[in-house]
Amino acid sequence: MSVILGRLCEGFIINCQIFGLTLIFSIPLGLLVCFGSMSRFKPLSWLVKTFVWIIRGTPLMLQLLVIFLGPGLLGWGTPWPAGNSGRLMAAVVAFVINYACYFSEIFRGGIESVPRGQYEAGQVLGMTKPQIFFKVTLLQLVKRIVPPMGNEIITLVKDTSLARIISNKEIIMTANEYAAKGLIWPLFSTAIFFLVFVGVLTLLFGWFERKLDYFR
């Protein structure tokens, strides 16, 4: 039993790696995508919005397959290293692109929800656009986006299991190997790993929301 639990923990480490790396890269990338979609330069705005529409309108599982297998099938050669590291890298790239697009829409909604008078007040005070964004808009933006960001981040925890489609040995794939041999409890025990992780994140986001109550 201890051996099986050890393997499940090793699998869950892969889930955690995908989760952590996705957050680190997708949040700043999502902000850049948001600025692109809100750009006054119409060709750029149209291009970014079309890309976001495509990513949000297609399954993440399909995106994983396309990113991992697509270059090789098109004859471009695979850009991924051999072995487990290559599969993990491809999964992270797919997750980052996917979640950056979702986060960008959350950022855009948060920015547009800040009253226009806030911007005008900053301009009257002689503040530049970057100063208005960082000193006036940003903190109000954070308050508005915490609940939807929390939902997306919790969804990300569970979506990491999709990485098995390109043979990343995350926890569910590991448990499924035992289920194929007739041992079912490892498969059900994976729920405990996810429930604990999601529970910790739920408490963390609840605490963070309470800390931002002074914006009400």
Side-chain angles (χ1 to χ4, degrees), residues 59-203:
L60 176 55
M61 186 180 293
L62 175 62
Q63 295 164 22
L64 282 160
L65 290 170
V66 168
I67 287 175
F68 182 60
L69 300 174
L73 293 175
L74 292 171
W76 298 343
T78 178
W80 315 115
N84 295 332
S85 60
R87 289 191 290 271
L88 180 62
M89 187 181 298
V92 170
V93 170
F95 273 86
V96 167
I97 293 173
N98 182 276
Y99 273 84
C101 290
Y102 280 96
F103 289 156
S104 73
E105 289 299 287
I106 294 174
F107 292 142
R108 184 181 61 80
I111 291 172
E112 291 180 348
S113 70
V114 177
R116 183 64 189 173
Q118 301 279 347
Y119 298 97
E120 294 171 352
Q123 290 173 339
V124 169
L125 293 172
M127 299 172 69
T128 63
K129 287 184 178 180
Q131 287 175 328
I132 293 172
F133 178 77
F134 286 106
K135 295 184 178 181
V136 178
T137 306
L138 184 59
L139 292 178
Q140 298 180 66
L141 168 66
V142 171
K143 169 64 179 178
R144 288 169 166 81
I145 68 173
V146 165
M149 284 288 287
N151 287 336
E152 284 297 325
I153 290 172
I154 287 173
T155 300
L156 170 60
V157 174
K158 295 173 286 185
D159 277 354
T160 57
S161 63
L162 293 175
R164 70 185 182 277
I165 197 65
I166 55 173
S167 299
N168 280 288
K169 281 203 159 185
E170 49 78 51
I171 187 170
I172 293 182
M173 183 175 180
T174 302
N176 196 45
E177 291 176 354
Y178 289 104
K181 298 175 183 177
L183 197 61
I184 198 66
W185 71 262
L187 190 60
F188 288 109
S189 67
T190 59
I192 298 174
F193 285 85
F194 285 102
L195 285 170
V196 170
F197 199 173
V198 168
V200 171
L201 287 176
T202 301
L203 293 173

Side-chain angles (χ1 to χ4, degrees), residues 26-82:
S26 64
I27 291 177
L29 179 59
L31 195 57
L32 289 175
V33 173
C34 169
F35 290 149
S37 66
M38 297 178 68
S39 172
R40 293 183 180 179
F41 184 57
K42 293 302 180 183
L44 174 61
S45 176
W46 179 85
L47 183 63
V48 172
K49 286 180 178 178
T50 302
F51 179 75
V52 170
W53 171 69
I54 292 172
I55 295 298
R56 294 179 70 205
T58 53
L60 176 55
M61 186 180 293
L62 175 62
Q63 295 164 22
L64 282 160
L65 290 170
V66 168
I67 287 175
F68 182 60
L69 300 174
L73 293 175
L74 292 171
W76 298 343
T78 178
W80 315 115

